[in-house]
Amino acid sequence: MKEIIHTAAAPQAIGPYSQGIRAEGRLVFVSGQIPLDPMTGAFAGEDITAQTRQSLTNLKAILAEAGAELKDVVKTTVFLQNMGDFAAMNEVYASFFTENCPARSAVEVAALPKGALVEIEAIAVI
């Protein structure tokens, strides 16, 4: 069983994918979220701190639409345009995931959609 998750509280998909998928009623897969403000369609800021905050805010909104919370996240993947931004990203990330943190991978990539500095995806169990 697969259910499409969609919310106006996060940016609309910019390609042939869903914001999120709930599978078998308990697993929630959230597509990578770049730092677009869903109200304006523009980046929430130019620095890694603002962009990480918006990416996680978008992720949180999709989880909420699926009936999940950040505490339900079991795995995230963080894609960084520059690994030099890791410490600043990590500081913002730690303010969202405060206890029982999920498993995480963080990798540097050559480029991200629309020139974003960060993209974050997640898997949750509810």
Side-chain angles (χ1 to χ4, degrees):
M1 176 177 187
K2 179 171 99 171
E3 177 187 347
I4 304 298
I5 305 301
H6 178 268
T7 178
Q12 303 308 300
I14 56 175
Y17 62 91
S18 299
Q19 290 174 323
I21 298 286
R22 183 173 30 228
E24 300 300 319
R26 294 196 62 222
L27 291 172
V28 178
F29 299 87
V30 179
S31 292
Q33 295 301 300
I34 60 174
L36 294 177
D37 180 320
M39 300 302 289
T40 66
F43 283 143
E46 297 300 317
D47 67 353
I48 191 64
T49 300
Q51 290 198 12
T52 300
R53 186 175 297 108
Q54 186 64 52
S55 292
L56 287 167
T57 298
N58 295 342
L59 190 140
K60 187 176 175 182
I62 296 166
L63 287 168
E65 185 67 22
E69 301 176 45
L70 289 173
K71 69 177 182 62
D72 300 316
V73 174
V74 296
K75 172 72 167 85
T76 62
T77 305
V78 178
F79 303 95
L80 292 167
Q81 190 270 330
N82 181 344
M83 193 56 80
D85 288 335
F86 181 85
M89 174 281 298
N90 200 48
E91 186 174 331
V92 175
Y93 184 97
S95 73
F96 280 78
F97 294 101
T98 58
E99 57 184 65
N100 300 320
C101 297
R104 180 180 76 185
S105 300
V107 296
E108 182 178 277
V109 296
L112 289 167
K114 298 187 174 269
L117 300 177
V118 63
E119 180 174 358
I120 304 172
E121 65 181 22
I123 301 169
V125 178
I126 54 176

